[in-house]
Amino acid sequence: MIHTNIAITFGAVYLISSVFATWIDPSLLDACPGYNIANPASQGSTFTADLVLAGTACNVFGSDLKSLSLAVVYETENRIHVKIMDANGSRYEVPESVLPRPNATFGGSISSAAIQFNYTTSPFSFTIYRTSTSEVLFTTASHPLIFEPQYLRVKTVLPPNANIYGLGEHSDSFRLPTFNTTRTLWSRDAYEIPTGTNLYGNHPIYFEHRTTGTHGVFLLNSNGMDIKINDTESTDGSVTLEYNVLGGVLDFYFLAGSENDPLEVSKQYAEVVGTPAEVPYWSFGLHQCRFGYTSYVDVAEVITNYSEAGIPLETMWTDIDYMDGRRIFTVDPSYFPLDRMREIVDYLHTHDQKYVLMTDPAVAYAPGEGYGTYNRGSALDVWLKMPNGSAELALVWPGVTNYPDWFHPSIQDFWTTEFGLFYNTSDGIDIDGAWIDMNEPSNFCVLPCTDPFQQAQEMALPPPRTAPPPDPDTPIFGKSSSITSSSLGKREDLLNPPYAIQDAAGNLSALTAWTNATHANGLVEYDTHNLYGTMMSVATRAAMLARRPGLRTLVITRSTFAGAGAHVGKWLGDNFSSWQEYRLSIAGMLGMAGVYQIPMVGSDICGYAENTTSTLCARWAMLGGFYPFMRNHNADTSISQEFYRWPVTAQAAKNVLDIRYRLMDYFYTTFHQASLNGSPVLQALWYKYPNDTSTYPIDLQFLFGPSILVSPVTDENSTSVTIYLPRDTFYEFLTLKPVFGTGANVTLTNVDFTEIPVHIIGGSILPLRVNGTMTTTELRQNDFEIVVAPSAGGNASGQLYVDDGVSLEQTNGTTALTFDYQDGALSVNGTFGYNLGVNVASVKILGVNQSPKNVSVVDQSGQSIGNGTFSYDAGSKVVEVALGVAFDKAFEVHMQEA
């Protein structure tokens, strides 16, 4: 950052102001008086007290509040809720309509809780520690609380070399650096997703992992904040973590996690913010998009080219190119005429494929122009307002725009109506999912933005078309032709707070909505800015569900807040076509899916901006096959990068999609489990191997579900990769050969650009489809094979969940099976409520050192089923049992050793 070197004095505290952020000597803040406890009271699982300023106020960024109230509730055995508020008046809190609060269900003695709250009276500080070991997890000792109108400060001390994960959205390493690191939470349009900066979303949750266990800390606050992490303030290398928050209240949830299972803290966080929404089965297929398809002809040709290349394309997407003047809920009649767009959708649906369109939040300011969306929104008065009562004017793709106010009482009716009118089945564009963007919200208007109309002219917004329109009768789906300005009424405290967070955009209002803009319920953007994208997400999902009652939908957003995953998925934004961002995508994905409870996540495969290369795109296709959300997408200024553009990328895509589709039911089962209890669908290695310290920094390998280890090649144009294999048994996914990890690095060589190292973790049982297909509809008609990958002890387990893949309520029943293998016997049990309509083709048992004497297969009554034949491959050590029986009942496979 660039410092101005201007010394400013607030009370007794000396600070330095910079262009983008405020730095202050930590020792001076630690000299502030803090608060003393008064009137402590305990009742059952609740503790309350008054906090009274303990001495002469620091008034570092405003006047210290003299009186606060403290409330501590043991909400469950594993969760403590600590809330500090103004004792003399209400302050902004995240509305329950945005994030409903979890219920307190704890009924036992607090001494039986997994973690404890302890405090000192004068000056007040508090500590959270494990009941069983007295290990301190969070403490504010020696760091006084500061609570001012626009500045809140809480600071804790963590062990040396602390393993901290979360505090996103960011593009830093998954394990956060502890040297002079600032994680800023303030949504912004973050082109190139640069490291070390605030990005599109905000998740003030961190997991800390130690050899003694894993726990979590969630600050429920949507105001802008800097969270500073530093290991230079102590002589023993201890790490400090300091919250610097621009407003609201201190609303902490402390999660006990577990002493031996890191997955527990994920489940406990899901209890607070909600478990992920289930998505349709088809959404796990391949998605294709780009900004820059110039007409409906381009879109149709891409669909045709994928088919001719033999690459499975599940869903076609179209960016804002289709809009008339970049106005949402319109089509350009010359380039994307409605009848031809409907023809594309009909073709896709006839071929069991899907279609998704982009919808931005900003509505073109168009009085008297016959633009229905603007007219209906204005009639309902649903726009975000300036302090003088006028609608805020912003500058986005259509030019001058209004922002919808997601707190307005009529906003859901407005949004649902617009979706119903434009995306209707009978005479609109019958989309299958929604893509929402620019919802930080983004604003192109450069401050001071006194005349957005003039800036719109200077920026040529909306941008003119540069290509001639196609003939409206051009045949498609044949043979492919080729592979007044507003009165802003600024209030200085909301626009320029005394403490400046490290917002990479600069001023809080830079390139976004004015922070003094007001919602219909009186809340201001200063407090709610970080909620805008999530509120649009909730409204969009509701609008999509209203279009197709009873059916799941897919909504992919850019900006998120805590709890967004209960409604939508997320793509990681406008990345670049570079090997560095290819690598960083893994850490970004682990954050969303492994910490923030947003599992339907992925990066733009091959990169969004600038030009990719055939080898980078091939490697990214292989990695992207293991993103939960798999989409190839790039910018209008970049070269075309559909997978069929280069032979090596086409083959890479075919190879990985075959693997992905064979694994789809396994991964669908993992997602279903996440929707029930918050189990992460992607995991860092330390989730599986919590005592192996070598796994703690790894973020170039990951677990796809609980049983698949993915280790992509990550160096530019390399055909080798050094991976870490914990002390465990693994099996190569394609050859099924056993590999024995020793807790050391292993270098794999001759990894072709059309390959990716994938291992099955010992102790797993995988229900696989026998082969991939061109669509997920066809895939569901394929037989299963069950792969048993025993642990070193000879045991394995797994599960399978199947439903109709599209319905919110499963009226056709569900099939939920468990697999268990021990002592050479596999048992398959559960409920077969949904008719799978396919067979179990075979069972493969891995890691068998010699051919068995015989193998028998019986049903629950003990009757033999199948043809009773088996084969043994000594090279791969695999026993394959041929079955060919309907997958509609329980059965067992018994293998007798020779």
Side-chain angles (χ1 to χ4, degrees):
M1 93 187 48
I2 303 171
H3 290 284
T4 59
N5 294 321
I6 300 173
I8 306 172
T9 302
F10 285 90
V13 181
Y14 182 82
L15 58 86
I16 298 292
S17 177
S18 77
V19 172
F20 297 124
T22 301
W23 180 85
I24 188 167
D25 187 337
S27 65
L28 297 177
L29 290 178
D30 286 342
C32 289
Y35 292 80
N36 291 332
I37 284 272
N39 304 315
S42 298
Q43 183 174 3
S45 58
T46 300
F47 172 78
T48 60
D50 297 327
L51 299 178
V52 181
L53 194 65
T56 302
C58 273
N59 296 335
V60 59
F61 297 111
S63 300
D64 289 356
L65 273 62
K66 292 182 170 54
S67 300
L68 306 174
S69 62
L70 167 69
V72 181
V73 180
Y74 288 70
E75 293 190 339
T76 71
E77 180 182 358
N78 296 301
R79 184 176 75 237
I80 295 178
H81 186 190
V82 177
K83 192 172 183 180
I84 301 174
M85 303 159 286
D86 183 354
N88 297 317
S90 62
R91 288 170 61 95
Y92 167 77
E93 301 180 30
V94 174
E96 292 223 21
S97 61
V98 179
L99 186 64
R101 305 306 192 263
N103 294 324
T105 60
F106 187 66
S109 167
I110 61 173
S111 62
S112 65
I115 50 176
Q116 300 291 322
F117 173 88
N118 190 34
Y119 69 92
T120 58
T121 300
S122 180
F124 166 70
S125 67
F126 71 91
T127 297
I128 303 293
Y129 65 91
R130 286 202 187 279
T131 306
S132 59
T133 62
S134 298
E135 180 183 18
V136 172
L137 307 181
F138 188 99
T139 179
T140 65
S142 304
H143 301 295
L145 169 68
I146 300 175
F147 204 116
E148 296 172 352
Q150 290 183 271
Y151 179 70
L152 315 179
R153 185 248 198 177
V154 172
K155 189 171 186 176
T156 188
V157 178
L158 306 176
N161 302 310
N163 303 297
I164 306 167
Y165 308 87
L167 301 177
E169 182 182 359
H170 61 78
S171 55
D172 299 333
S173 57
F174 184 49
R175 184 176 68 171
L176 289 172
T178 56
F179 173 74
N180 196 26
T181 295
T182 298
R183 291 292 322 114
T184 299
L185 303 190
W186 186 254
S187 300
R188 73 180 185 98
D189 185 341
Y191 186 65
E192 195 186 1
I193 56 172
T195 58
T197 69
N198 51 312
L199 301 181
Y200 307 100
N202 307 277
H203 298 273
I205 167 74
Y206 73 83
F207 294 171
E208 188 196 346
H209 179 65
R210 307 175 184 178
T211 56
T212 54
T214 315
H215 65 277
V217 179
F218 174 45
L219 173 59
L220 178 49
N221 184 301
S222 65
N223 287 85
M225 67 181 75
D226 284 338
I227 304 168
K228 300 182 178 181
I229 305 169
N230 207 342
D231 57 11
T232 65
E233 296 180 16
S234 64
T235 57
D236 64 355
S238 296
V239 176
T240 58
L241 188 149
E242 177 185 77
Y243 296 89
N244 300 267
V245 189
L246 294 184
V249 300
L250 296 172
D251 197 359
F252 283 101
Y253 290 86
F254 294 96
L255 311 174
S258 169
E259 293 179 54
N260 49 45
D261 184 2
L263 301 185
E264 288 302 309
V265 73
S266 293
K267 297 175 184 178
Q268 292 162 19
Y269 183 55
E271 292 176 357
V272 178
V273 300
T275 54
E278 289 200 271
V279 293
Y281 189 91
W282 59 261
S283 67
F284 294 112
L286 170 65
H287 304 258
Q288 175 62 49
C289 185
R290 82 164 293 175
F291 179 23
Y293 291 135
T294 61
S295 71
Y296 72 94
V297 178
D298 281 359
V299 175
E301 284 191 351
V302 170
I303 297 167
T304 301
N305 288 341
Y306 265 100
S307 178
E308 291 186 354
I311 303 172
L313 174 64
E314 187 74 14
T315 306
M316 188 67 199
W317 295 48
T318 306
D319 209 312
I320 59 177
D321 307 281
Y322 75 91
M323 300 177 186
D324 189 11
R326 302 293 168 89
R327 296 180 177 186
I328 61 173
F329 304 119
T330 68
V331 291
D332 188 309
S334 299
Y335 291 82
F336 292 86
L338 182 59
D339 61 330
R340 306 313 303 269
M341 295 293 283
R342 286 178 53 81
E343 184 180 349
I344 288 173
V345 175
D346 288 345
Y347 178 90
L348 288 167
H349 288 172
T350 299
H351 291 81
D352 296 322
Q353 294 168 293
K354 311 297 180 184
Y355 194 49
V356 172
L357 283 179
M358 161 85 78
T359 305
D360 286 337
V363 175
Y365 175 78
E369 297 181 25
Y371 176 32
T373 298
Y374 172 78
N375 292 341
R376 287 183 289 270
S378 296
L380 292 171
D381 197 27
V382 293
W383 311 131
L384 191 61
K385 299 295 183 63
M386 296 305 296
N388 67 359
S390 65
E392 178 178 0
L393 297 181
L395 192 59
V396 197
W397 289 114
V400 179
T401 57
N402 293 147
Y403 290 128
D405 174 4
W406 303 112
F407 283 107
H408 194 284
S410 298
I411 193 64
Q412 187 63 65
D413 288 343
F414 166 71
W415 204 240
T416 299
T417 295
E418 298 308 306
F419 266 72
L421 289 172
F422 185 65
Y423 295 125
N424 72 81
T425 303
S426 59
D427 58 5
I429 302 177
D430 187 19
I431 57 173
D432 300 283
W435 176 23
I436 53 178
D437 189 14
M438 310 293 286
N439 54 356
E440 294 72 35
S442 181
N443 186 356
F444 300 158
C445 200
V446 179
L447 294 180
C449 191
T450 54
D451 190 347
F453 296 93
Q454 178 62 33
Q455 287 199 35
Q457 293 179 7
E458 294 169 354
M459 296 183 190
L461 293 173
R465 300 278 184 179
T466 57
D471 184 324
D473 298 320
T474 302
I476 58 176
F477 299 122
K479 188 73 177 178
S480 167
S481 62
S482 67
I483 290 244
T484 84
S485 64
S486 60
S487 174
L488 299 175
K490 300 178 183 177
R491 289 173 51 194
E492 291 302 318
D493 57 344
L494 295 182
L495 296 174
N496 297 292
Y499 177 87
I501 61 172
Q502 192 170 295
D503 178 13
N507 185 287
L508 286 182
S509 299
L511 304 180
T512 189
W514 290 99
T515 49
N516 62 349
T518 305
H519 293 273
N521 59 359
L523 296 179
V524 293
E525 274 292 287
Y526 179 87
D527 295 316
T528 65
H529 168 80
N530 285 346
L531 304 177
Y532 196 90
T534 290
M535 296 189 71
M536 182 189 183
S537 299
V538 173
T540 301
R541 181 171 188 264
M544 288 294 292
L545 294 178
R547 287 183 60 250
R548 293 179 173 180
L551 295 183
R552 299 176 197 163
T553 190
L554 174 71
V555 178
I556 297 294
T557 184
R558 190 166 75 176
S559 182
T560 58
F561 185 72
H567 311 278
V568 296
K570 145 89 180 165
W571 101 100
L572 295 176
D574 296 340
N575 60 357
F576 273 36
S577 296
S578 71
W579 290 89
Q580 172 70 354
E581 298 212 5
Y582 159 80
R583 289 186 288 269
L584 289 173
S585 71
I586 301 173
M589 187 171 57
L590 286 173
M592 289 292 164
V595 179
Y596 312 137
Q597 289 292 334
I598 306 178
M600 195 59 177
V601 61
S603 291
D604 284 345
I605 297 172
C606 303
Y608 173 76
E610 299 187 337
N611 293 331
T612 191
T613 65
S614 61
T615 51
L616 172 59
C617 199
R619 285 287 184 226
W620 215 325
M622 301 303 296
L623 171 59
F626 296 93
Y627 292 166
F629 171 58
M630 183 185 184
R631 185 184 69 169
N632 181 329
H633 176 52
N634 70 322
D636 58 340
T637 55
S638 305
I639 62 172
S640 296
Q641 63 182 36
E642 292 85 3
F643 289 144
Y644 54 75
R645 295 287 174 179
W646 303 277
V648 67
T649 356
Q651 191 59 53
K654 290 178 184 179
N655 290 353
V656 80
L657 284 164
D658 184 71
I659 296 173
R660 180 182 180 90
Y661 280 39
R662 291 181 64 207
L663 283 166
M664 193 165 290
D665 293 88
Y666 152 79
F667 201 54
Y668 188 79
T669 299
T670 302
F671 253 77
H672 176 68
Q673 193 62 38
S675 75
L676 298 178
N677 66 8
S679 299
V681 303
L682 300 180
Q683 301 174 24
L685 267 68
W686 60 263
Y687 284 45
K688 185 78 172 181
Y689 303 99
N691 295 319
D692 185 342
T693 57
S694 295
T695 65
Y696 298 172
I698 293 175
D699 58 11
L700 295 179
Q701 299 171 255
F702 61 96
L703 272 59
F704 182 76
S707 303
I708 296 292
L709 173 63
V710 183
S711 308
V713 176
T714 53
D715 289 336
E716 181 172 1
N717 294 331
S718 175
T719 56
S720 66
V721 60
T722 298
I723 68 173
Y724 181 77
L725 288 180
R727 191 176 298 277
D728 202 349
T729 300
F730 300 88
Y731 301 85
E732 294 177 353
F733 182 82
L734 293 180
T735 68
L736 303 180
K737 293 179 180 179
V739 177
F740 301 103
T742 60
N745 288 333
V746 176
T747 298
L748 307 179
T749 59
N750 300 317
V751 183
D752 191 82
F753 286 97
T754 62
E755 299 174 345
I756 184 170
V758 178
H759 293 87
I760 304 169
I761 299 174
S764 306
I765 299 178
L766 300 178
L768 304 180
R769 298 286 180 168
V770 292
N771 54 258
T773 56
M774 288 296 288
T775 67
T776 61
T777 298
E778 183 185 358
L779 181 68
R780 290 171 67 90
Q781 300 165 11
N782 269 14
D783 290 344
F784 281 91
E785 64 179 11
I786 298 172
V787 175
V788 180
S791 66
N795 302 321
S797 61
Q799 54 186 329
L800 172 66
Y801 172 81
V802 184
D803 56 24
D804 69 12
V806 294
S807 300
L808 290 170
E809 302 294 333
Q810 294 300 323
T811 57
N812 294 322
T814 63
T815 288
L817 308 180
T818 58
F819 308 106
D820 183 72
Y821 179 81
Q822 50 186 329
D823 299 326
L826 167 69
S827 62
V828 179
N829 292 293
T831 58
F832 290 85
Y834 179 78
N835 181 15
L836 301 180
V838 298
N839 291 342
V840 181
S842 65
V843 171
K844 294 179 179 178
I845 303 173
L846 315 186
V848 181
N849 289 322
Q850 57 182 333
S851 180
K853 182 176 182 181
N854 62 63
V855 176
S856 62
V857 185
V858 298
D859 61 19
Q860 281 186 309
S861 66
Q863 296 294 314
S864 294
I865 59 175
N867 56 28
T869 63
F870 73 91
S871 61
Y872 178 71
D873 186 324
S876 61
K877 301 183 183 298
V878 174
V879 173
E880 181 172 1
V881 184
L883 286 182
V885 299
F887 202 177
D888 58 3
K889 57 183 174 294
F891 66 89
E892 296 180 357
V893 178
H894 296 270
M895 184 175 65
Q896 184 178 0
E897 295 182 1

